[in-house]
Amino acid sequence: MPLFTIEPGQSRLATVEQLIEMNFRIPAFQRPYDWEEAQVDDLINDLHEAERKGVPLFLGLVVLCPDKDNSYAIVDGQQRLTTLMLAIAAKGAVGRVLRSDALHLSTLWVAPRVADIGFTRAMLASSRESERTLSQKKMSAAFDQLHSDESFELDTLLKAQVIVYVAPSLAGATGLFERINLRGKDVSQFDLVKNKLIEWVGVECEPESRSRLEDFITERYDTLYQRLDPRHDSQPFNADRLLRTHWILFTDKQFKSSDRVLEKVNDDLSEVFQESKSVVQWIQDYLNSLVEVTETWAAVERPFESMPTNYGASLRKALLDFARLDRHGEFQPLIVAAIIRWRDAATDLVKICEICSFRSALGKRNSNRGRSYKWRVARQLYKGDWCDASSTLISSARDAVHQVYWHVTPFWDTQEAVDFGYDLTQQEAAAQVFPDGALDSAHFYTEYGHVAHYLFWKYGVFLPKSEAWGEHTREDITPFQDPAWFGKEDGKVSFQNWDIEHIYPQNAEDRDTRDGRRHKQSMASWLHHLGNITVLPIRDNRGMKNLPFTEKLSWMRAQRKVSFNELLANADYRGNLMDRPHWGMNNCRKRVAQIRSAAAEIWGPAAVASLGVGQFDERLEWYEADGDEQD
């Protein structure tokens, strides 16, 4: 029987059994396999329902373009076709999708990206290899899910139907991609930008030049997907966030948070074409720049797993601190540009961005404050033309720190402004929300709970190294102690393993005694104070409930120790108990004074001065935050 074929420019309704006669390849510019369990479940349920009704299952549209060696490149439908290949093998028909050629070499019906060919071939042949990437983990999970399901037969799978369209060219095929997405994930901007670039290849008149540009795009995207395919135990990167960060650095035009990179790319290419400039050069510059930015962006986005080994310890720690605070969106382009420009020497700039972000959080300032300034100087730094107000090039991280401090960093307190030679007017002082005062808020838990875990983590790192409390603490919480402190949630590492706990309980077990009722009344305004909260591992905290303080203290010390909980038993640290056996107001006052003192060292004037910030001077041009900050 002749091979099932479709001529370019034509479409046909085909069964999966007919498609098996064709040879498919997933181009290197396509994203890796990424179907989740729910999507495989949907396919299984659809096949089961089709079998029950006795009708063929329709699987939508597949878009192809001719490829070498009588095969077809998959432009849209690669996730479905790959899953169909896994399903056929899982139903026992491995030989139909894993074939031996004349040289006795096994070939796959749907040849995946090069990095996954060996893994897929071994998996279908029942010879598993270790999963190295997230795409391999998902492919393995889908195969196991399909293999364990008995709700449909192989024949139902082979009778399923698709509409196959073969585009005459790659550019024509990707043009359809934007308008169709019948199954699988919603199309991301990252994929749409890729297809838009391939569409613009069509404006190149010479076929040989078009072919070279298509090869270039394929090679660049292959590199990008390799860098964005995370470890097998991780979640996918948000590639659309990468696009935004890169576009802020790449473009010379204003970019707002509501803008879509896809439209901006198309607008720029249209402008280049209308002005008879080189579309080829623009695409090459754009993709080369995107590849350059990606590795650094991944390290800033996920320093706990994607940090290049050639980064120094100080830069690694600074990036971890910055990422844990999770208020990094508007500073991210500047940090990426600084690391590309200065590598480890960018450490001080990362530190001032963390200090600024923490102070802004305590001052209840939107993280978007000064966004246009942050993005403008990030672009200038990336391009190497960031100058100060005296037209001197910003050539070091110390120079950059000075600029960032004075333009967008809140003062820690009025004294810091005075010490740096800045005379605040009465109106300016009244309008400024100083973070130091926030630490004394009676409602710290409800107002600032979003930074409480981060504050205590940094405090825990600080205490063993402090002059006052180092000898009283036994465990150093290092930034890389992920298993103890950090858990994975929504694709990022967070403090989800830890609870906020009230030292004096919200509902104390002894509140109904006369002494308990009196103490509860005196503690009412201190309940949610920073001096009355701590953090504990969730699994340790569940058994504590609302024990009286003496029992709670003993219990906390018996659990996994962290330095700030260990110190609760130190009278010099906590102060004398006001009304035994209670944790009282004096304890809260003494403890928050200790925390505030540490915070001043970590994020206060001394920390800023250590980064080389000087007085306001002629190198600075005064900057007013723009209206974009509330987007």
Side-chain angles (χ1 to χ4, degrees):
M1 184 174 65
L3 289 175
F4 179 81
T5 59
I6 305 174
E7 293 299 317
Q10 294 183 352
S11 62
R12 289 183 62 179
L13 181 68
T15 65
V16 171
E17 189 160 29
Q18 288 173 312
L19 290 183
I20 292 176
E21 299 178 16
M22 304 173 72
N23 296 311
F24 297 119
R25 182 182 66 87
I26 297 174
F29 61 73
Q30 295 282 40
R31 69 178 187 265
Y33 186 79
D34 64 359
W35 264 26
E36 305 283 354
E37 180 181 350
Q39 291 162 297
V40 178
D41 263 340
D42 286 343
L43 175 62
I44 290 172
N45 292 335
D46 289 346
L47 286 163
H48 172 68
E49 188 67 12
E51 185 167 301
R52 188 180 68 83
K53 293 179 178 178
V55 296
L57 173 64
F58 178 64
L59 293 170
L61 176 65
V62 170
V63 180
L64 313 171
C65 70
D67 200 23
K68 57 187 177 182
D69 300 328
N70 296 317
S71 64
Y72 296 86
I74 308 170
V75 177
D76 187 51
Q78 58 133 331
Q79 304 290 338
R80 278 169 286 155
L81 290 175
T82 301
T83 309
L84 287 173
M85 176 175 67
L86 300 178
I88 292 168
K91 287 298 178 182
V94 177
R96 305 195 69 167
V97 292
L98 184 60
R99 311 145 175 172
S100 295
D101 59 19
L103 298 176
H104 303 290
L105 298 174
S106 57
T107 59
L108 294 162
W109 170 46
V110 179
R113 292 166 48 80
V114 172
D116 293 331
I117 288 177
F119 175 86
T120 308
R121 186 189 292 125
M123 180 175 63
L124 298 191
S126 300
S127 177
R128 294 290 181 100
E129 295 180 354
S130 298
E131 302 156 1
R132 299 186 307 276
T133 63
L134 179 61
S135 60
Q136 292 178 1
K137 177 185 178 181
K138 291 189 173 184
M139 199 180 300
S140 181
F143 180 75
D144 290 342
Q145 191 177 349
L146 291 159
H147 188 269
S148 63
D149 184 85
E150 299 179 356
S151 64
F152 67 91
E153 299 295 329
L154 174 63
D155 191 56
T156 303
L157 184 59
L158 296 176
K159 288 180 179 177
Q161 298 176 335
V162 297
I163 293 176
V164 183
Y165 171 71
V166 178
S169 67
L170 179 60
T174 55
L176 283 176
F177 185 89
E178 291 185 42
R179 298 182 286 277
I180 56 173
N181 187 36
L182 302 180
R183 296 188 66 86
K185 285 191 172 183
D186 291 338
V187 181
S188 69
Q189 276 203 81
F190 193 77
D191 287 324
L192 292 175
V193 166
K194 169 192 66 185
N195 294 332
K196 183 62 67 178
L197 297 178
I198 293 174
E199 280 186 55
W200 273 98
V201 172
V203 306
E204 176 61 54
C205 297
E206 296 295 330
E208 187 175 336
S209 297
R210 284 202 303 271
S211 178
R212 284 199 301 268
L213 187 54
E214 287 176 353
D215 289 344
F216 172 79
I217 293 173
T218 297
E219 183 274 327
R220 295 281 77 185
Y221 269 93
D222 184 30
T223 301
L224 287 169
Y225 279 120
Q226 288 180 43
R227 293 184 177 181
L228 292 174
D229 195 5
R231 299 182 319 203
H232 71 89
D233 59 344
S234 301
Q235 294 296 315
F237 281 101
N238 185 335
D240 288 353
R241 186 182 295 171
L242 163 63
L243 274 189
R244 187 186 81 157
T245 297
H246 170 256
W247 188 255
I248 290 165
L249 301 176
F250 178 77
T251 185
D252 289 324
K253 300 180 177 66
Q254 184 180 15
F255 183 75
K256 297 182 179 180
S257 60
S258 58
D259 289 339
R260 282 168 54 85
V261 174
L262 176 65
E263 281 79 14
K264 294 299 181 181
V265 166
N266 192 55
D267 290 346
D268 255 29
L269 282 166
S270 297
E271 183 179 311
V272 167
F273 181 71
Q274 290 168 5
E275 295 177 358
S276 299
K277 297 178 181 177
S278 173
V279 168
V280 173
Q281 189 63 55
W282 191 98
I283 292 174
Q284 289 174 338
D285 290 345
Y286 175 78
L287 287 180
N288 284 334
S289 174
L290 183 57
V291 168
E292 177 188 43
V293 165
T294 297
E295 183 178 43
T296 303
W297 174 85
V300 175
E301 180 79 0
R302 292 191 190 171
F304 43 86
E305 69 175 43
S306 298
M307 197 98 65
T309 55
N310 59 357
Y311 282 15
S314 61
L315 179 58
R316 292 170 65 89
K317 181 182 181 303
L319 287 174
L320 279 164
D321 286 354
F322 182 71
R324 303 304 189 197
L325 184 53
D326 198 26
R327 282 175 60 93
H328 58 280
E330 312 312 325
F331 269 130
Q332 195 176 75
L334 179 58
I335 291 176
V336 169
I339 295 172
I340 291 173
R341 178 69 53 185
W342 296 314
R343 246 282 294 288
D344 286 5
T347 299
D348 285 351
L349 182 62
V350 180
K351 288 180 179 178
I352 196 65
C353 290
E354 184 220 344
I355 289 171
C356 177
S357 297
F358 183 75
R359 290 186 182 190
S360 295
L362 287 185
K364 296 183 180 178
R365 289 170 176 252
N366 194 310
S367 63
N368 297 341
R369 181 178 182 271
R371 171 191 288 157
S372 67
Y373 170 81
K374 297 170 186 174
W375 288 1
R376 173 169 59 83
V377 297
R379 179 174 64 252
Q380 291 171 347
L381 179 58
Y382 180 65
K383 295 180 180 296
D385 57 10
W386 182 11
C387 294
D388 62 25
S390 64
S391 299
T392 301
L393 191 69
I394 302 293
S395 58
S396 71
R398 283 293 173 112
D399 291 340
V401 165
H402 186 68
Q403 297 287 325
V404 170
Y405 172 79
W406 282 106
H407 283 118
V408 292
T409 306
F411 292 121
W412 185 251
D413 54 23
T414 51
Q415 187 59 47
E416 182 179 53
V418 171
D419 291 343
F420 277 120
Y422 190 79
D423 186 17
L424 287 175
T425 66
Q426 187 174 4
Q427 184 179 10
E428 287 173 331
Q432 180 73 290
V433 181
F434 294 107
D436 192 48
L439 299 175
D440 283 313
S441 169
H443 307 288
F444 187 90
Y445 172 64
T446 54
E447 292 181 343
Y448 302 103
H450 59 291
V451 296
H453 293 91
Y454 180 76
L455 186 154
F456 277 114
W457 173 59
K458 289 279 286 190
Y459 188 42
V461 173
F462 167 84
L463 282 171
K465 303 172 185 176
S466 70
E467 185 176 334
W469 301 108
E471 63 181 271
H472 301 286
T473 55
R474 290 173 290 176
E475 182 173 338
D476 182 5
I477 305 173
T478 73
F480 295 97
Q481 200 176 23
D482 283 358
W485 271 84
F486 309 112
K488 291 180 180 176
E489 182 179 35
D490 297 331
K492 62 184 179 182
V493 168
S494 69
F495 295 95
Q496 66 174 358
N497 294 338
W498 289 72
D499 270 344
I500 293 177
E501 172 66 20
H502 291 75
I503 300 172
Y504 173 76
Q506 296 187 77
N507 298 293
E509 286 184 354
D510 58 352
R511 68 185 183 279
D512 292 329
T513 65
R514 182 172 63 181
D515 184 55
R517 285 194 295 270
R518 185 176 68 249
H519 192 70
K520 178 185 177 184
Q521 185 176 4
S522 70
M523 283 295 292
S525 62
W526 291 86
L527 187 63
H528 299 310
H529 194 273
L530 176 59
N532 189 50
I533 64 172
T534 189
V535 295
L536 284 168
I538 290 175
R539 65 181 181 183
D540 293 346
N541 191 38
R542 285 173 179 164
M544 189 177 297
K545 299 182 180 178
N546 295 301
L547 297 172
F549 172 67
T550 50
E551 296 178 50
K552 177 179 283 192
L553 176 59
S554 175
W555 197 93
M556 282 194 295
R557 296 192 69 207
Q559 308 309 306
R560 183 190 300 157
K561 292 182 176 63
V562 288
S563 49
F564 45 80
N565 289 339
E566 184 180 344
L567 286 177
L568 295 176
N570 188 306
D572 292 334
Y573 172 83
R574 73 184 185 202
N576 293 324
L577 289 173
M578 186 174 182
D579 291 303
R580 295 182 183 278
H582 299 291
W583 175 265
M585 295 179 290
N586 286 346
N587 307 123
C588 293
R589 289 192 185 100
K590 183 67 176 289
R591 182 167 179 268
V592 82
Q594 302 290 353
I595 294 174
R596 189 171 57 246
S597 175
E601 287 194 49
I602 299 169
W603 300 287
V608 167
S610 72
L611 299 178
V613 172
Q615 295 191 353
F616 192 89
D617 55 35
E618 71 282 353
R619 293 175 292 168
L620 301 152
E621 92 182 293
W622 194 246
Y623 169 76
E624 295 292 339
D626 53 59
D628 190 38
E629 66 183 59
Q630 299 300 323
D631 285 0

